[in-house]
Amino acid sequence: MVASSMTIQDILPYGPNKSNSKKLDIDAILPFIILPLLLVICTLSRLVTIIVMILIGMGALYAQSRPRNKNRSPFFYHWTISSGVCMFLVFEFGILSLLEITQLENLIFLVLLSSTCYFFYKMKAVADFELATGGSKGKEYSPVLTSDSYYCQICQIEVNERFFHSIWWDCCVLRPNYIYFLSGQIFSFATLLYGTNLGLTTVCQPYILYGNILMPEDCNDVYYEFDLALCFVSCIYGLGYLLVTSLVLIRQILIYIPKYTEPQWKKLINVLTV
């Protein structure tokens, strides 16, 4: 009877499992629809660009400030993926089509982007391995948490040493994968800084800052053509991501890097004091 019941629930088109999987599919698809639509709306005028970018920022702050157990949706992770895909496609098919970026500059951009993707992929892979093996719980897991750990309601594992869960990558950042998270953030910062500078100096009138370094100066004419406006607003969106990445890196320097390197420093001190 149990096997029969399970089979019937699986066959029913509106069973609980089907509704949950359908919701997950919608959450995964929506970012790839909403973000391109918002970027297209931004191309209407400078005022519309400012309003939409402020709304996106407010939405991100609201999602980040919510309790961890309420951010179970994969929507935020797929928003990160859709952001990277959209900015990459605009750069490769929009900005490069203006024929003002050299092959060497594009190669440097692709190397930085590939390094970013590699480190974040490794971060996710290690987090999934820890979740599958239960390595972060320890051999004898106890529901009584220590003062230096908390229980992640989303991953349902104990996060030791007060590392954290990232809703934007849909995984916990632990000691085993923290170095990949930090490296990914550093390369992400470099990729966004380099890519947005190339994009803005291509669609706007640039000026020479120092040597061969260009900076955008006059961007008043970008909204007269759709392709230029789309490249411009994508770069502005990338600058917003660059600001967030900068804040994340500052937080790592002040809080998590000292915590991550503390055991190594203790070992070195113990060796020197012997």
Side-chain angles (χ1 to χ4, degrees):
M1 292 297 292
V2 175
S4 175
S5 175
M6 290 176 61
T7 305
I8 292 174
Q9 286 184 355
D10 291 337
I11 295 174
L12 287 176
Y14 301 106
N17 295 332
K18 296 295 180 66
S19 62
N20 291 336
S21 62
K22 186 176 182 180
K23 184 179 184 302
L24 291 177
D25 292 341
I26 293 175
D27 289 344
I29 294 172
L30 274 179
F32 293 91
I33 300 174
I34 295 175
L35 181 58
L37 182 61
L38 290 176
L39 293 178
V40 171
I41 293 174
C42 285
T43 61
L44 295 177
S45 67
R46 180 178 299 177
L47 178 62
V48 175
T49 301
I50 295 173
I51 293 174
V52 173
M53 293 300 169
I54 291 176
L55 291 176
I56 292 176
M58 292 174 61
L61 287 174
Y62 171 73
Q64 187 67 34
S65 62
R66 296 176 70 194
R68 293 187 182 95
N69 59 346
K70 292 184 179 295
N71 292 328
R72 296 175 179 269
S73 171
F75 176 88
F76 308 105
Y77 168 66
H78 287 90
W79 182 275
T80 303
I81 300 299
S82 65
S83 298
V85 170
C86 286
M87 288 188 287
F88 172 76
L89 292 178
V90 169
F91 185 89
E92 291 296 322
F93 295 101
I95 296 174
L96 283 184
S97 65
L98 300 176
L99 302 178
E100 294 190 18
I101 295 178
T102 64
Q103 292 183 354
L104 178 60
E105 290 172 332
N106 185 41
L107 177 62
I108 295 173
F109 173 77
L110 292 177
V111 169
L112 291 173
L113 180 62
S114 300
S115 301
T116 303
C117 295
Y118 168 77
F119 284 115
F120 281 130
Y121 166 78
K122 289 291 292 183
M123 177 198 70
K124 283 281 292 179
V126 173
D128 292 340
F129 175 78
E130 291 291 325
L131 181 61
T133 59
S136 297
K137 293 183 180 180
K139 295 181 179 179
E140 296 180 357
Y141 172 71
S142 172
V144 180
L145 302 178
T146 64
S147 60
D148 201 27
S149 64
Y150 75 91
Y151 187 72
C152 179
Q153 297 288 343
I154 302 175
C155 296
Q156 296 184 351
I157 60 174
E158 181 182 337
V159 182
N160 295 324
E161 300 171 290
R162 289 202 175 276
F163 283 91
F164 53 93
H165 180 90
S166 174
I167 62 172
W168 306 105
W169 290 106
D170 195 26
C171 70
C172 278
V173 178
L174 311 160
R175 178 170 290 277
N177 67 343
Y178 178 76
I179 189 63
Y180 297 115
F181 170 80
L182 182 61
S183 301
Q185 293 293 340
I186 293 173
F187 276 96
S188 175
F189 176 86
T191 304
L192 289 169
L193 181 63
Y194 189 71
T196 53
N197 180 263
L198 287 178
L200 290 175
T201 53
T202 298
V203 300
C204 303
Q205 294 293 329
Y207 72 94
I208 299 176
L209 178 65
Y210 178 79
N212 294 326
I213 302 176
L214 301 179
M215 294 294 289
E217 183 176 19
D218 185 9
C219 302
N220 293 325
D221 299 332
V222 295
Y223 288 99
Y224 292 119
E225 297 183 29
F226 174 76
D227 54 343
L228 293 180
L230 184 61
C231 295
F232 176 74
V233 299
S234 298
C235 290
I236 298 300
Y237 182 74
L239 287 177
Y241 250 96
L242 181 64
L243 175 62
V244 173
T245 305
S246 303
L247 296 176
V248 170
L249 287 175
I250 292 174
R251 187 183 184 195
Q252 304 313 305
I253 294 173
L254 296 177
I255 300 176
Y256 291 102
I257 291 181
K259 182 189 305 182
Y260 181 80
T261 57
E262 183 180 2
Q264 284 78 7
W265 283 110
K266 287 183 177 180
K267 289 180 180 178
L268 179 61
I269 293 173
N270 292 333
V271 170
L272 294 177
T273 55
V274 171

